[in-house]
Amino acid sequence: METVQTRGIELATQCFGSHSDPAILLIMGATASMLGWPDELCTALAKQGLFVIRFDHRDTGRSTTVPPGEAEYSVEDMAEDVIGIMDAYSLQQATLMGMSLGGFIAQIVALTHPQRVQSIILVSSEPLGWDGVELPHISQEFLGHFGDLPKLDWSNHNAVVKFLLTSDRLSSGTSQPFDEASAQTRIEEVIARADNPASMFNHATISTRENWTGRFREIACPTLVIHGEDDPILPATNGRAIAAGIKGADLVILHGVGHELPSATLPEIVERVATHTRRLR
């Protein structure tokens, strides 16, 4: 574990593998800390000859946290956090692997700092500045669940675990039965590491400062798009739109997978990522 100080904030990071190997920086989605990237995924990528870094976003885990409703940063600021981490690790270039909001952030970094980005891998993400026919987004069932968020008593540990567990269940696909015990263990770890668990939902209030309309089409680095066929948050049409809009992008649709990284699918993800990064060497 290493704490990175950048632009007046602290970001908790963790690395796997050798610093001499090609770097891959993992960027999680909204509300998620570094624990959203399973340990087994990180260690497996390191065994493929990659220097793996994961980190806690602002307002998650052990990174700088502000009270709920007081976030004044933008998505662009979160993109600059990525560059701050690369600088702290003395990385001139890295592959960025982002999930959901993390994929959105990776696209911004690829456009604002193209010389620092060797390639991007976008998991369960959406195109930055989409300018076509409206794409499908979050399911009605998930919207209903989030409608209960204002009533959640964050001082009631069991209620918080139950709410987050339901979020995980609604995110899952049909590729394997939902592993409630494993999900609850991870949720307990997430809560234990957070200064203020409620602050993770500050991510729901932030937006971009700049106009990115159509800009994802300008991304020139090698791109791999991985998307779950059953994603209820950002349906697979979003992944297909990214792949169609970025020249030369490769697309992998994971059968029966939701907005998640299920254990049974990790070997395929690792192999796809390893193949993608080997082509860059």
Side-chain angles (χ1 to χ4, degrees):
M1 299 291 293
E2 179 178 332
T3 298
V4 169
Q5 297 188 4
T6 176
R7 300 189 306 134
I9 66 167
E10 294 185 346
L11 299 170
T13 72
Q14 184 179 26
C15 60
F16 303 76
S18 172
H19 195 290
S20 62
D21 287 332
I24 182 167
L25 183 57
L26 308 182
I27 313 169
M28 242 300 125
T31 77
S33 72
M34 68 169 72
L35 297 185
W37 298 107
D39 289 355
E40 58 185 303
L41 173 67
C42 297
T43 55
L45 289 174
K47 289 178 180 177
Q48 292 289 337
L50 294 169
F51 179 54
V52 182
I53 304 170
R54 64 180 181 178
F55 70 100
D56 292 330
H57 281 302
R58 302 167 182 238
D59 285 326
T60 73
R62 295 174 181 166
S63 291
T64 294
T65 298
V66 299
E70 296 187 15
E72 297 181 349
Y73 53 88
S74 67
V75 180
E76 287 88 348
D77 289 321
M78 297 177 79
E80 288 302 316
D81 292 346
V82 172
I83 295 299
I85 292 170
M86 290 180 62
D87 288 344
Y89 277 90
S90 300
L91 300 175
Q92 291 304 308
Q93 275 196 326
T95 286
L96 306 182
M97 181 172 178
M99 181 167 182
S100 197
L101 174 63
F104 203 76
I105 290 170
Q107 292 172 73
I108 291 177
V109 180
L111 288 168
T112 56
H113 299 276
Q115 73 282 4
R116 304 294 299 273
V117 181
Q118 190 171 26
S119 74
I120 56 175
I121 301 170
L122 309 177
V123 184
S124 301
S125 191
E126 63 181 311
L128 174 67
W130 176 245
D131 53 358
V133 176
E134 185 176 0
L135 296 171
H137 283 89
I138 191 167
S139 69
Q140 286 300 314
E141 187 176 16
F142 224 118
L143 285 174
H145 172 58
F146 277 155
D148 294 332
L149 184 58
K151 299 180 290 185
L152 181 60
D153 178 3
W154 286 92
S155 67
N156 185 331
H157 179 82
N158 290 337
V160 172
V161 170
K162 181 179 179 181
F163 181 88
L164 297 177
L165 193 59
T166 299
S167 296
D168 278 6
R169 182 182 295 108
L170 291 176
S171 297
S172 65
T174 58
S175 62
Q176 65 184 76
F178 178 64
D179 188 346
E180 181 168 324
S182 177
Q184 182 162 340
T185 296
R186 183 189 60 79
I187 288 167
E188 295 280 5
E189 292 174 352
V190 166
I191 293 172
R193 290 183 71 252
D195 287 337
N196 187 344
S199 293
M200 71 175 79
F201 285 96
N202 279 340
H203 292 171
T205 68
I206 65 171
S207 60
T208 55
R209 286 191 307 263
E210 301 178 28
N211 179 3
W212 295 96
T213 302
R215 296 290 308 280
F216 79 103
R217 302 179 193 279
E218 300 172 17
I219 293 172
C221 65
T223 301
L224 171 63
V225 179
I226 301 175
H227 217 107
E229 179 184 48
D230 294 343
D231 193 326
I233 307 295
L234 292 169
T237 305
N238 289 268
R240 293 188 176 98
I242 297 173
I246 298 178
K247 185 177 181 180
D250 293 323
L251 174 65
V252 176
I253 299 295
L254 300 174
H255 176 69
V257 174
H259 200 76
E260 57 178 341
L261 295 169
S263 58
T265 310
L266 294 183
E268 179 179 358
I269 293 175
V270 169
E271 181 54 37
R272 297 284 189 175
V273 171
T275 299
H276 170 80
T277 55
R278 285 191 202 106
R279 294 173 182 165
L280 308 173
R281 302 179 191 179

